[in-house]
Amino acid sequence: MQVHGVIHQFPKEIKHLIFVFVATLSIGYFGGLSFVKDTTNASSKGIQERYLGNEDDEEATKMMFKKSPGEIKTLVHNHILSLSVIFFLLAIILSTTSISMKLKLFLMIEPFISVVCTFGGIYVMWTGITWMKYIVMASGFLMTVVYTTSIIVIVQQLYLKKQ
């Protein structure tokens, strides 16, 4: 079954549904990023302190404690499950676009790698391998770039005529 470029043939009501879905999804996604920025200051030190605490830092303005095993496992579990579903749904929509097959495949597959690296990295960092904070930052950044690119591609493909 060929789905490449089918997005251009969807009825208006399906196109509008997809648009409302990705718009609502984006509010949640970027709201979550805002929360991450607020809780980590978008820095490697902030990421480390968020999960490992800062009890040894006498100059800290806000005391933070290491997450418990239950807290860290719940965070990793919830994020991996929910983001996997989100990226699976986006991949299904992306599969119907008429962009190049290589770009399409990258946008469809890469987020799953980033999800594992980001949240697996948080868990590994929590166990004491603190350099993983750099992997968490890089994979989280890449995940956001791919998410944003995917949303832009989908919206353009919904409302622009096939070339």
Side-chain angles (χ1 to χ4, degrees):
M1 180 161 123
Q2 179 72 335
V3 295
H4 181 79
V6 173
I7 196 167
H8 303 289
Q9 300 168 9
F10 287 163
K12 282 185 180 172
E13 62 270 15
I14 299 298
K15 288 182 176 187
H16 295 328
L17 174 65
I18 291 170
F19 176 79
V20 171
F21 170 70
V22 298
T24 305
L25 190 63
S26 294
I27 291 168
Y29 188 89
F30 291 112
L33 283 182
S34 176
F35 176 75
V36 169
K37 181 184 173 292
D38 291 346
T39 58
T40 66
N41 294 319
S43 70
S44 58
K45 180 181 178 189
I47 291 170
Q48 183 173 329
E49 287 180 348
R50 175 85 177 135
Y51 302 103
L52 295 175
N54 64 0
E55 300 144 68
D56 298 334
D57 184 358
E58 294 179 14
E59 311 236 343
T61 57
K62 180 181 178 187
M63 183 64 72
M64 299 170 79
F65 298 95
K66 184 176 181 175
K67 300 274 184 232
S68 71
E71 288 173 312
I72 200 73
K73 289 176 185 175
T74 298
L75 178 133
V76 169
H77 165 78
N78 289 344
H79 280 83
I80 288 177
L81 286 179
S82 61
L83 288 170
S84 293
V85 171
I86 287 167
F87 285 116
F88 179 73
L89 293 172
L90 283 180
I92 289 172
I93 298 168
L94 275 169
S95 71
T96 67
T97 64
S98 58
I99 61 174
S100 80
M101 201 55 77
K102 285 183 180 181
L103 176 60
K104 184 188 302 191
L105 199 56
F106 175 76
L107 294 176
M108 291 170 66
I109 301 299
E110 194 290 324
F112 296 100
I113 297 165
S114 283
V115 166
V116 170
C117 289
T118 301
F119 295 97
I122 287 172
Y123 182 80
V124 171
M125 180 187 64
W126 177 81
T127 67
I129 303 173
T130 57
W131 60 264
M132 285 299 290
K133 63 188 168 193
Y134 301 110
I135 302 296
V136 170
M137 284 186 74
S139 60
F141 177 77
L142 183 58
M143 184 185 347
T144 300
V145 168
V146 169
Y147 176 86
T148 304
T149 303
S150 297
I151 295 303
I152 290 168
V153 164
I154 289 167
V155 171
Q156 284 180 337
Q157 295 272 305
L158 283 172
Y159 295 111
L160 294 178
K161 298 291 181 206
K162 185 176 177 179
Q163 311 274 321

